[in-house]
Amino acid sequence: MIQRWNSEIDTYLVYAGLFSAILTAFNVQSYLLLQQAPPDPTLAVLQQISLQLSSFSTSIPPTFINSTYPALGPGSSPSDSPTTLSAVWLNTLWFSSLILSLSSASVGIMVKQWVNEYNSGIASGTSRAIAQLRQYRLNGLIGWHVRHIVMAIPILLQVSLGLFLAGLLVLLWTLNQTVATVVSVLVGILFAFVVLTTLLPLIKPGCAYLSPQTLALYAIGQQMVLMIRTLRYRFFWSIWRVSLWVRAESPQARRAFSGVAAKVSKAIDDILWTCAGRSYFQKRFMTWLGRERAAL
């Protein structure tokens, strides 16, 4: 497992480095769209002369000629054009993509440091001590969910690629509709392929298109359904308690019911969240490995 993590992270780091270099080249050109470029002085003077010549008016009788357009003062300059909405969206998407790509590389480097510490200092000692130390460190990696952090790296890279392609479409639709249409079709095909291969393993058991994105969606779905079932159980249990409380005829009966209901509620909660209760949910919400074993 440790060796597989090392090889995967090496691949992710190479991809993140190349992709970040490409993004940097695009961002160097795109951030200029957010700046208001200073006007060319020669062009400003020529525009002023043209406006003044076109605004000449003559008095009646024609004794003098006057320009109705004001002259350009020594400290004045034409107003700068405001930043367009497309430029704002473009830079937002591309810089967000660059940050996610660099974040994935940073997380990958940190995970490699953790893995290297796992292998350090194990060679010395007896075989029993080495096995105990190795198992102790392996339990630490599993208990602190290092596997999930490794799975998050390709997800960050996929999201980063999606943001870059979205920004590319924003740029192309402001330049040329024909090129933007062709690129949009290609991006749509890629998006449909990614979504289809991500969701198929959730629908069809035994599908080989298993990826970290699929496992993440499966885990999120498990937790959401478990939370909904738990909330539903507690909601109906509360309604049942209130209905019995209303039906009680005397204060003594209400007090007696309050104590009994508290004991019953605690007993049900204990059953639900002990091993027996969890096994009831695990029959319906198992891990991915358990799902595969159940399909055999």
Side-chain angles (χ1 to χ4, degrees):
M1 181 178 65
I2 303 300
Q3 185 178 1
R4 179 170 62 86
W5 285 355
N6 267 320
S7 61
E8 288 180 359
I9 293 173
D10 289 337
T11 304
Y12 298 151
L13 289 177
V14 173
Y15 177 84
L18 295 176
F19 188 55
S20 299
I22 296 173
L23 282 172
T24 303
F26 278 91
N27 289 336
V28 166
Q29 299 297 325
S30 66
Y31 87 93
L32 297 176
L33 299 175
L34 298 175
Q35 296 178 338
Q36 296 180 351
D40 187 3
T42 304
L43 181 60
V45 171
L46 292 177
Q47 289 178 346
Q48 181 71 17
I49 294 174
S50 176
L51 290 173
Q52 287 183 332
L53 290 176
S54 62
S55 64
F56 277 140
S57 64
T58 59
S59 62
I60 301 176
T63 56
F64 64 92
I65 300 177
N66 183 28
S67 174
T68 59
Y69 195 84
L72 186 65
S76 59
S77 61
S79 59
D80 298 329
S81 59
T83 304
T84 60
L85 183 61
S86 61
V88 174
W89 275 105
L90 174 66
N91 283 273
T92 301
L93 293 171
W94 279 0
F95 276 97
S96 299
S97 177
L98 179 61
I99 291 173
L100 289 180
S101 179
L102 295 176
S103 299
S104 65
S106 178
V107 172
I109 292 174
M110 294 176 65
V111 174
K112 284 191 69 69
Q113 292 174 346
W114 303 338
V115 172
N116 291 334
E117 288 299 323
Y118 169 83
N119 293 322
S120 63
I122 293 183
S124 60
T126 62
S127 58
R128 180 181 179 84
I130 292 175
Q132 290 177 343
L133 180 60
R134 187 182 296 274
Q135 186 63 38
Y136 174 77
R137 293 182 178 179
L138 181 60
N139 293 335
L141 293 177
I142 296 175
W144 288 96
H145 305 286
V146 177
R147 174 174 175 269
H148 297 95
I149 298 177
V150 175
M151 291 172 55
I153 298 176
I155 297 176
L156 290 176
L157 292 175
Q158 292 285 356
V159 175
S160 177
L161 177 61
L163 293 176
F164 170 73
L165 294 177
L168 187 63
L169 293 179
V170 171
L171 175 63
L172 292 178
W173 277 109
T174 59
L175 298 179
N176 189 280
Q177 291 187 355
T178 303
V179 178
T181 302
V182 175
V183 175
S184 298
V185 171
L186 297 177
V187 172
I189 294 173
L190 175 61
F191 179 76
F193 175 78
V194 172
V195 172
L196 186 64
T197 55
T198 301
L199 297 180
L200 271 179
L202 299 175
I203 302 172
K204 291 289 185 180
C207 182
Y209 304 147
L210 188 60
S211 62
Q213 301 90 286
T214 304
L215 296 176
L217 290 177
Y218 183 75
I220 293 173
Q222 277 188 320
Q223 295 299 322
M224 290 182 62
V225 175
L226 179 60
M227 181 179 63
I228 292 173
R229 290 178 62 91
T230 305
L231 291 177
R232 186 178 62 181
Y233 153 74
R234 293 184 179 275
F235 174 72
F236 285 112
W237 169 244
S238 300
I239 292 178
W240 179 75
R241 288 182 61 183
V242 171
S243 64
L244 291 181
W245 180 273
V246 172
R247 293 175 186 176
E249 297 179 356
S250 63
Q252 293 81 6
R254 285 198 297 268
R255 285 194 296 268
F257 168 73
S258 178
V260 173
K263 294 179 181 179
V264 172
S265 176
K266 185 178 183 304
I268 293 178
D269 288 341
D270 292 339
I271 294 174
L272 183 63
W273 298 114
T274 52
C275 296
R278 283 198 299 269
S279 64
Y280 170 79
F281 283 96
Q282 288 174 354
K283 291 178 182 177
R284 293 159 179 78
F285 311 108
M286 58 187 68
T287 62
W288 188 268
L289 182 59
R291 181 173 181 261
E292 291 178 334
R293 288 174 177 173
L296 294 177

